[in-house]
């Protein structure tokens, strides 16, 4: 479903992402882990066509994310790490706008918006200007925008960042539901316990290079043979500065 | 634990921080670390787009124009106040009003009369108030003041913070400096300070600026703390309107030749000369240090008192904490919302993007005022002032003037709406990227919306003008249509320039639109507006076509840029685009005129030979320039001369060339019969060398260079976005326009054939052959050919 082919991004002398190659089959929940500044957000932005790859390419459902961005967006829902919304617009208006921009006719878009807001328990705040939302509510609204068109692929950039425990748990449950329906989920995070809980496979990126891939069990085994090794230890070991 | 800094040191540190921030902003990406190869990346380096030499030029230019405006103001006030007979003369002879004969003159070093001093003091007061109010135009007023919130966590007394803020606002208030310094300097000049005038003016201006800073800070803080956000927006809109009115009032005396300024002294009573603006005037106009000492010292004392009082007031305002409500108002359940909801339902007819833009317009009162009311606000007083001077009959009677002004208002409205359209997305630009639509189609819809809204004004103005004017209906319709056609074209230009000029990654909203492009837009709009005024009908048609082409070219370039907007490091690969062709055509056009004029100046005659030389010369220079630029930028798909077998290309060129030449010959014969074209055979050069040179220019030089520009660049660039026929017609039109009028039609035909030749062979050899043959046959015929008797 998602295929990275030697994806590279350089800024002058500095390489942010270095020849990333990876394949993610449909229906998988893939966790993209890494320290700060490792290149996670850069990779995701290249998938969304916001950044232009310096080399290689990334394909979603066989389509090039840079060359055929508009087609790719039909299949993709995106949640950035800090969703900022338009000023002077209410939550439900923004959601309806997004649904209409994805091609739904007006009435249907309005219905979808209402339904999705109810799903996310946002109907009370629906008439509030989006700029007044707290971070958690903005993330929920962002996720609603990402899901309103029932995409095949969900791309999330640090979705749990800044959420309180209940919201975080709600989000995890929802992601599991969505994955169970066959959606491919690609999420970046540095919260290891959550990655362990919801991801099928994880990949660890360090200084722009993919240094480890596999299930959490596989990765833990790479570092220590004992059964109760934590992912945290494994992660710190793998991403230690040489 | 070490000592907290003393208040004085804290103020110094705060001010230094602010100035450092401003300095960094101005010098932008001019970083030294780029020269060190081992620089570790700390954060993503910005694209080096900040061109500070241009900013410097802009500053110089603005400074000069404002100084000139100030000078005009002083002179006009002097004329209107001190010699009322002169102003009566102006009233009675409106035609001479603009002439130098009625220009008031003032000797430097003169002591101002009391009324004049009062008028100028009022002027200073208006500018001061305008500066104070103008700072509210920015949108940030309604957002929480994180700055203050963070600063109060430092171990520094609140007074120090407040002093620091006021000092920073004094020193860093660019608008205030531009408003006050020039006029103070001009007044100082006319008071006889000679070359020290700017210095003296600067000292006085900086003595007055703290007043504006205090006022601004007081109102700013007071408003934030006491008003609900909804009221805040309304107040902000009102204040920005007031500031514009003040500025207009201040500049009014300098702008028209009326005696408007003569009323000024009446509004500034004599006792007010003891207030800071009056004292400033007296200091400036004083002769010698002794005389200046008293008003100067008083001025400083008064300013100091205001500052101390101001800080005390602020301290009192902030005694309950620094944080305001900050949040936008809750929109649920208020009765006003019910009414608004019905409007919103009606607006649903538009596309989602257009609906969203309209929502923003309706709900953001400040934006509404700026976009839709400001244009009227700026132009109406101009008209009122001119009415006052007795020019109303002339103005309303003239269709070109009405149309020109109508277009001007629309262009101004577009400056604030269409040009900002990408910027208005702000931090939510990522949302646009997540839609399954090209950003270009989104921008197209926005351009359509703003063009529609901007048309309201011209339609109204033209309607009123058409009612009053005595010009013929044809006249009105002709000029009006040029103005109305210009609005959608300039909407496209504004959006395209907005794309170039916007920097969505910039953190500060005010830095987001680069001034250079706003200036470019204003220049283009100004040229179009003057063209409406002065062009004959066929010039107007040509102009509209050219502007349309320019708009399309800019749009094409903007479209290239769109995928790279949010990427701080990547830029679109250099490609040949229509805009390159248009620029090359313009350079060619200008150079050709210059060369022809030089030849004329030197030889005193403008022979056909001279014309040919100018064409070839201009072509050569343009060609070389274009090649050089492309080589430097490593542009891809630069037009090539040879591509594939030479034989078929030559054959194609011969066929098209002969056809075009035949058509041209027919045209020439017919035109000579009717006396439309002179018989050029009289200009046949006599000696062989000149003949050879002549032939070389006509058959080799001109075709090679011109084909590169008009077929390679213009046609090739157009072809990237359009089909063969439109691209051929457009490129041939541009080609024809740069030739002298009698030869436009056959040259247009040549252009079409050459374009077709280029299209078939994909290389320049064929069209070059076409052109060479055409030149050989047509020019040869005209110079050597049969003498066809012209109609008498």
């Amino acid at each position: 479903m998602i295929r990275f082919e030697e994806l590279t991004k350089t800024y002058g002398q500095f390489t942010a992402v270095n020849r990333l190659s990876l394949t993610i089959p449909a229906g998988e929940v893939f966790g993209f882990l890494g320290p700060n500044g490792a290149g996670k957000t850069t990779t995701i932005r290249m998938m969304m066509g916001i950044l232009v790859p310096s080399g290689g390419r990334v394909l979603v459902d066989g389509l090039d994310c840079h060359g055929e961005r508009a087609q790719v967006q039909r299949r993709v829902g995106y949640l950035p790490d800090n969703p900022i919304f338009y000023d002077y617009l209410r939550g439900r208006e923004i959601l309806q706008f997004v649904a209409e921009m994805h091609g739904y006719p007006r009435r249907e878009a309005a219905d979808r918006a209402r339904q999705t807001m109810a799903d996310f328990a946002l109907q009370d705040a629906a008439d509030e200007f989006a700029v007044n939302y707290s971070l958690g509510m903005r993330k929920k609204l962002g996720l609603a925008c990402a899901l309103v068109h029932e995409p095949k692929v969900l791309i999330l950039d640090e979705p749990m960042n800044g959420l309180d425990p209940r919201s975080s748990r709600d989000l995890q449950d929802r992601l599991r539901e969505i994955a169970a329906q066959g959606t491919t989920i690609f999420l970046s995070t540095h919260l290891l316990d959550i990655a362990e809980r919801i991801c099928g496979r994880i990949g660890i990126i360090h200084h722009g290079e993919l240094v480890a891939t596999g299930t959490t069990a596989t990765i833990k085994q790479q570092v220590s043979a004992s059964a109760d090794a934590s992912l945290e230890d494994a992660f710190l070991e793998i991403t230690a500065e040489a | 634990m070490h000592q907290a800094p003393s208040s004085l040191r804290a103020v110094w540190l705060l001010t230094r921080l602010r100035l450092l921030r401003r300095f960094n902003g101005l010098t932008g990406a001019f970083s030294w670390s780029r020269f060190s190869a081992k620089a570790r990346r700390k954060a993503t380096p910005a694209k080096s787009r900040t061109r500070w030499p241009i900013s410097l030029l802009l500053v110089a230019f603005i400074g000069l124009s404002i100084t000139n405006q100030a000078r005009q103001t002083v002179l006009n006030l002097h004329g209107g106040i001190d010699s009322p007979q002169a102003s009566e003369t102006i009233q009675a002879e409106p035609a001479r009003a603009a002439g130098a004969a009625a220009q008031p003159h003032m000797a430097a070093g003169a002591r101002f009369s009391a009324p004049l001093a009062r008028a100028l003091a009022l002027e200073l007061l208006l500018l001061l108030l305008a500066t104070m109010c103008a700072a509210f135009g920015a949108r940030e007023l309604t957002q929480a003041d994180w700055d203050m919130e963070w600063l109060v966590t430092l171990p520094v007394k609140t007074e120090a913070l407040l002093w620091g803020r006021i000092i920073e606002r004094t020193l860093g208030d660019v608008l205030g400096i531009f408003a006050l310094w020039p006029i103070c300097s001009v007044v100082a000049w006319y008071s006889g300070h000679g070359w020290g005038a700017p210095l003296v003016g600067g000292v006085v201006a900086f003595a007055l600026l703290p007043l504006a800073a205090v006022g601004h800070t007081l109102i700013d803080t007071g408003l934030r703390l006491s008003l609900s956000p909804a009221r805040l927006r309304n107040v902000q809109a009102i204040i920005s309107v007031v500031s514009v009115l003040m500025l207009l009032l201040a500049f009014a005396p300098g702008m028209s030749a009326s005696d408007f300024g003569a009323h000024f002294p009446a509004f500034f009573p004599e006792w007010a000369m003891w207030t800071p603006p009056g004292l400033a005037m007296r200091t400036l106009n004083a002769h010698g240090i002794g005389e200046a000492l008293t008003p100067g010292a008083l001025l400083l004392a008064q300013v100091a008192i205001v500052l101390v009082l101001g800080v005390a007031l602020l301290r009192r305002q902030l005694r309950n904490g620094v944080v305001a409500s900050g949040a936008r108002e809750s929109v649920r359940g208020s009765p006003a919302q019910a009414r608004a909801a019905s409007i919103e339902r009606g607006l649903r007819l538009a596309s989602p993007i257009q609906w969203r833009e309209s929502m923003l317009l309706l709900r953001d009162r400040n934006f509404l005022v700026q976009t839709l009311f400001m244009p009227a606000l700026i132009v109406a007083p101009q008209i009122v002032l001119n009415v006052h001077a007795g020019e109303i009959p002339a103005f309303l009677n003239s269709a070109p003037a009405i149309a020109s002004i109508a277009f001007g208002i629309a262009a101004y409205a577009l400056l604030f709406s269409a040009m900002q359209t990408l910027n208005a997305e702000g931090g939510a630009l990522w949302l646009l990227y997540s839609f399954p639509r090209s950003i270009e189609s989104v921008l197209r819809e926005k351009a359509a919306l703003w063009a529609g809204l901007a048309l309201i004004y011209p339609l109204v103005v033209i309607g009123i003008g058409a009612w009053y004017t005595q010009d013929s209906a044809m006249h009105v319709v002709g000029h009006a249509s040029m103005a109305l056609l210009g609005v959608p074209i300039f909407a496209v230009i504004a959006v395209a320039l907005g794309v170039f000029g916007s920097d969505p990654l910039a953190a500060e909203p005010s830095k987001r639109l680069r001034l250079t492009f706003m200036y470019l837009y204003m220049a283009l709009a100004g040229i179009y507006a003057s063209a409406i005024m002065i062009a004959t009908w066929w010039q107007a048609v040509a102009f509209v076509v050219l502007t349309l082409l320019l708009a399309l070219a800019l749009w094409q370039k903007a479209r290239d840029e769109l995928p790279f907007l949010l990427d701080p490091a990547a830029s679109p690969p250099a490609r040949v685009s229509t805009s390159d062709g248009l620029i090359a055509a313009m350079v060619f056009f200008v150079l050709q005129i210059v060369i022809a004029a030089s030849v004329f100046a030197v030889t005193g005659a403008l022979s056909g030979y001279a014309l040919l030389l100018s064409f070839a010369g201009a072509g050569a220079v343009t060609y070389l320039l274009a090649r050089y630029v492309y080589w430097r930028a490593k542009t891809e798909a630069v037009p090539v001369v040879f591509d594939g077998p030479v034989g078929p290309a030559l054959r194609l060129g011969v066929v098209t060339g002969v056809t075009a030449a035949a058509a041209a010959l027919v045209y020439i014969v017919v035109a000579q019969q009717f006396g439309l074209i002179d018989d050029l055979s009289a200009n046949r050069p006599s000696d062989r060398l000149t003949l050879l040179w002549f032939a070389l220019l006509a058959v080799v030089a001109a075709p090679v260079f011109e084909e590169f520009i008009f077929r390679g660049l213009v046609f090739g660039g157009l072809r990237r976005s359009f089909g063969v026929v439109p691209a051929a017609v457009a490129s041939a039109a541009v080609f024809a326009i740069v030739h002298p009028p009698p030869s436009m039609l056959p040259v247009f035909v040549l252009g079409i054939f050459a374009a077709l030749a280029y299209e078939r062979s994909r290389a320049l050899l064929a069209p070059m052959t076409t052109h060479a043959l055409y030149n050989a046959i047509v020019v040869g015929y005209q110079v050597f050919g049969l003498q066809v008797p012209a109609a008498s």
Side-chain angles (χ1 to χ4, degrees), chain B residues 114-155:
Chain B
L116 182 61
R118 296 215 304 271
L120 284 171
L122 180 60
E123 180 84 13
L124 283 178
L125 179 65
L126 284 172
L127 285 169
L128 207 55
L129 287 174
T131 308
M132 200 169 74
C133 297
F136 289 99
R139 279 188 185 192
E140 289 80 41
L141 184 64
T142 46
Q143 288 157 15
D145 191 4
W146 71 271
D147 194 21
M148 206 54 172
E149 276 180 46
W150 172 61
L151 287 175
V152 292
T153 64
L154 298 170

Coordinates of all heavy atoms in Angstrom, one line a residue, chain B residues 114-155:
Chain B
A114 N 2.3 83.4 11.9 CA 1.6 82.6 13.0 C 0.6 81.6 12.5 O 0.6 80.5 12.9 CB 1.0 83.6 14.0
P115 N -0.2 82.0 11.5 CA -1.2 81.0 11.0 C -0.5 79.8 10.4 O -0.9 78.7 10.6 CB -2.0 81.8 10.0 CG -1.8 83.2 10.3 CD -0.4 83.3 10.9
L116 N 0.6 80.1 9.7 CA 1.3 79.0 9.0 C 1.8 78.0 10.0 O 1.8 76.8 9.9 CB 2.4 79.5 8.1 CG 3.2 78.5 7.3 CD1 2.2 77.7 6.4 CD2 4.3 79.1 6.5
A117 N 2.4 78.6 11.1 CA 3.0 77.8 12.2 C 1.9 76.9 12.8 O 2.1 75.7 13.0 CB 3.6 78.7 13.2
R118 N 0.7 77.6 13.0 CA -0.4 76.8 13.6 C -0.8 75.7 12.6 O -1.1 74.5 13.0 CB -1.6 77.7 13.9 CG -1.3 78.8 14.9 CD -2.5 79.1 15.7 NE -3.7 79.4 14.9 CZ -4.0 80.7 14.6 NH1 -3.1 81.7 14.9 NH2 -5.0 81.0 13.9
A119 N -0.9 76.0 11.3 CA -1.3 75.0 10.4 C -0.4 73.8 10.4 O -0.8 72.6 10.4 CB -1.4 75.6 9.0
L120 N 0.9 74.1 10.4 CA 1.9 73.0 10.4 C 1.9 72.3 11.7 O 2.1 71.0 11.7 CB 3.3 73.6 10.1 CG 3.6 74.0 8.7 CD1 4.9 74.8 8.6 CD2 3.6 72.8 7.8
A121 N 1.6 73.0 12.8 CA 1.5 72.2 14.0 C 0.3 71.3 14.0 O 0.4 70.1 14.5 CB 1.3 73.2 15.2
L122 N -0.8 71.7 13.4 CA -1.9 70.8 13.2 C -1.5 69.6 12.4 O -1.9 68.5 12.6 CB -3.1 71.6 12.6 CG -4.4 70.8 12.4 CD1 -4.9 70.2 13.7 CD2 -5.4 71.6 11.7
E123 N -0.8 69.9 11.3 CA -0.3 68.8 10.5 C 0.5 67.8 11.3 O 0.3 66.6 11.2 CB 0.6 69.5 9.4 CG 1.2 68.5 8.4 CD 0.3 68.2 7.3 OE1 -0.7 68.9 7.2 OE2 0.6 67.3 6.6
L124 N 1.4 68.3 12.2 CA 2.1 67.3 13.0 C 1.2 66.5 13.9 O 1.4 65.3 14.1 CB 3.1 68.1 13.8 CG 4.4 68.6 13.1 CD1 5.3 69.4 14.1 CD2 5.2 67.5 12.6
L125 N 0.2 67.2 14.4 CA -0.7 66.5 15.3 C -1.5 65.4 14.6 O -1.6 64.3 15.1 CB -1.7 67.5 15.9 CG -2.8 66.9 16.8 CD1 -2.1 66.4 18.1 CD2 -3.8 68.0 17.2
L126 N -1.9 65.7 13.4 CA -2.6 64.7 12.6 C -1.7 63.5 12.3 O -2.2 62.4 12.4 CB -3.1 65.3 11.2 CG -4.3 66.3 11.3 CD1 -4.5 66.9 10.0 CD2 -5.5 65.5 11.7
L127 N -0.5 63.8 11.9 CA 0.4 62.7 11.6 C 0.7 61.9 12.9 O 0.7 60.6 12.8 CB 1.7 63.2 11.1 CG 1.6 63.7 9.6 CD1 2.9 64.5 9.2 CD2 1.4 62.5 8.7
L128 N 0.8 62.5 14.0 CA 1.0 61.8 15.3 C -0.2 60.9 15.6 O 0.0 59.7 15.9 CB 1.2 62.9 16.4 CG 2.0 62.5 17.6 CD1 3.4 62.0 17.1 CD2 2.2 63.6 18.5
L129 N -1.4 61.4 15.4 CA -2.5 60.6 15.7 C -2.7 59.5 14.7 O -3.0 58.4 15.1 CB -3.8 61.5 15.6 CG -4.0 62.5 16.8 CD1 -5.2 63.4 16.5 CD2 -4.2 61.7 18.1
A130 N -2.3 59.8 13.5 CA -2.4 58.7 12.4 C -1.4 57.6 12.8 O -1.8 56.4 12.7 CB -2.1 59.3 11.1
T131 N -0.2 58.0 13.2 CA 0.7 56.9 13.6 C 0.2 56.1 14.7 O 0.3 54.9 14.7 CB 2.0 57.6 14.0 OG1 2.5 58.6 13.0 CG2 3.1 56.6 14.3
M132 N -0.4 56.8 15.7 CA -0.9 56.0 16.8 C -2.0 55.1 16.4 O -2.0 53.9 16.9 CB -1.4 57.1 17.8 CG -1.5 56.5 19.2 SD -1.9 57.9 20.3 CE -3.6 58.2 19.9
C133 N -2.8 55.5 15.5 CA -4.0 54.6 15.2 C -3.5 53.5 14.2 O -4.1 52.4 14.2 CB -5.1 55.4 14.6 SG -5.8 56.6 15.7
A134 N -2.6 53.8 13.4 CA -2.2 52.9 12.3 C -1.7 51.6 12.8 O -1.8 50.6 12.2 CB -1.2 53.5 11.4
A135 N -1.1 51.7 14.0 CA -0.5 50.5 14.6 C -1.6 49.4 14.9 O -1.3 48.2 15.1 CB 0.3 50.8 15.8
F136 N -2.9 49.8 14.9 CA -3.9 48.9 15.2 C -4.4 48.1 14.1 O -5.2 47.2 14.2 CB -5.1 49.6 15.9 CG -4.8 50.1 17.2 CD1 -4.5 51.5 17.4 CD2 -4.9 49.3 18.3 CE1 -4.2 51.9 18.7 CE2 -4.6 49.8 19.6 CZ -4.3 51.1 19.7
G137 N -3.9 48.4 12.9 CA -4.4 47.8 11.7 C -4.1 46.3 11.7 O -4.8 45.5 11.1
A138 N -3.0 45.9 12.3 CA -2.6 44.5 12.3 C -3.6 43.6 13.0 O -4.3 44.0 13.9 CB -1.2 44.4 13.0
R139 N -3.7 42.4 12.5 CA -4.7 41.5 13.1 C -4.4 41.1 14.5 O -5.3 40.6 15.2 CB -4.8 40.3 12.2 CG -5.6 40.5 11.0 CD -5.8 39.1 10.3 NE -6.4 39.3 9.0 CZ -6.9 38.3 8.3 NH1 -6.8 37.1 8.8 NH2 -7.5 38.5 7.2
E140 N -3.2 41.2 14.9 CA -2.8 40.5 16.1 C -3.5 41.1 17.4 O -3.3 40.6 18.4 CB -1.3 40.6 16.3 CG -0.5 39.7 15.4 CD -0.4 40.4 14.0 OE1 -0.2 41.6 13.9 OE2 -0.6 39.7 13.0
L141 N -4.1 42.2 17.2 CA -4.7 42.8 18.4 C -5.7 41.9 19.1 O -5.8 41.9 20.4 CB -5.5 44.1 18.0 CG -6.1 44.9 19.2 CD1 -5.0 45.4 20.0 CD2 -7.0 46.0 18.6
T142 N -6.4 41.1 18.3 CA -7.3 40.2 18.9 C -6.8 38.9 19.4 O -7.5 38.0 20.0 CB -8.5 39.8 17.9 OG1 -7.8 39.5 16.7 CG2 -9.3 41.0 17.7
Q143 N -5.4 38.7 19.3 CA -4.8 37.5 19.8 C -4.2 37.8 21.2 O -3.7 38.9 21.4 CB -3.8 36.9 18.8 CG -4.5 36.3 17.7 CD -3.6 36.3 16.5 OE1 -2.4 36.5 16.6 NE2 -4.2 36.0 15.3
A144 N -4.0 36.8 22.0 CA -3.5 37.0 23.3 C -2.0 37.5 23.2 O -1.3 37.1 22.3 CB -3.5 35.6 24.0
D145 N -1.7 38.4 24.1 CA -0.4 39.1 24.0 C 0.6 38.2 24.7 O 1.0 38.4 25.9 CB -0.5 40.4 24.7 CG 0.7 41.3 24.5 OD1 1.6 40.8 23.7 OD2 0.8 42.4 25.0
W146 N 1.1 37.1 24.1 CA 2.0 36.2 24.7 C 3.3 36.9 25.1 O 3.9 36.4 26.1 CB 2.3 35.0 23.7 CG 3.2 35.5 22.6 CD1 2.8 36.0 21.5 CD2 4.6 35.5 22.6 NE1 3.9 36.3 20.7 CE2 5.0 36.0 21.4 CE3 5.6 35.1 23.5 CZ2 6.3 36.2 21.0 CZ3 6.9 35.3 23.2 CH2 7.3 35.8 22.0
D147 N 3.6 37.9 24.4 CA 4.9 38.6 24.7 C 4.9 39.1 26.1 O 5.8 38.8 26.9 CB 5.0 39.8 23.7 CG 6.3 40.3 23.7 OD1 7.3 39.6 24.1 OD2 6.5 41.5 23.3
M148 N 3.9 39.8 26.5 CA 3.8 40.4 27.8 C 3.7 39.3 28.9 O 4.3 39.3 29.9 CB 2.6 41.3 27.9 CG 2.7 42.4 28.9 SD 4.2 43.4 28.7 CE 3.9 44.7 29.9
E149 N 2.9 38.3 28.5 CA 2.8 37.1 29.4 C 4.1 36.5 29.8 O 4.3 36.0 30.9 CB 1.9 36.1 28.8 CG 0.4 36.4 29.0 CD -0.4 35.3 28.3 OE1 -0.1 34.1 28.5 OE2 -1.4 35.6 27.6
W150 N 5.0 36.4 28.8 CA 6.2 35.7 29.0 C 7.2 36.7 29.8 O 7.9 36.3 30.7 CB 6.8 35.4 27.7 CG 8.2 34.9 27.8 CD1 8.7 33.7 28.5 CD2 9.4 35.4 27.2 NE1 10.0 33.6 28.3 CE2 10.5 34.6 27.5 CE3 9.6 36.6 26.4 CZ2 11.8 34.9 27.1 CZ3 10.9 36.8 25.9 CH2 11.9 36.0 26.3
L151 N 7.2 38.0 29.4 CA 8.1 38.9 30.0 C 7.8 39.1 31.5 O 8.8 39.3 32.3 CB 8.0 40.3 29.3 CG 8.6 40.3 27.9 CD1 8.3 41.7 27.3 CD2 10.1 40.1 28.0
V152 N 6.6 39.0 31.9 CA 6.3 39.2 33.3 C 6.8 38.1 34.2 O 6.9 38.2 35.4 CB 4.8 39.5 33.7 CG1 4.4 40.8 33.1 CG2 4.0 38.3 33.2
T153 N 7.3 37.0 33.6 CA 7.9 35.9 34.4 C 9.3 36.2 34.7 O 10.0 35.4 35.4 CB 7.8 34.6 33.7 OG1 8.5 34.6 32.5 CG2 6.3 34.3 33.3
L154 N 9.9 37.3 34.1 CA 11.3 37.6 34.4 C 11.3 38.4 35.7 O 10.4 39.2 36.0 CB 11.8 38.4 33.2 CG 11.9 37.7 31.9 CD1 12.2 38.6 30.8 CD2 12.9 36.6 32.0
P155 N 12.5 38.3 36.4 CA 12.6 39.0 37.7 C 12.8 40.5 37.5 O 13.8 41.1 38.0 CB 13.8 38.3 38.3 CG 14.6 37.9 37.2 CD 13.7 37.5 36.1

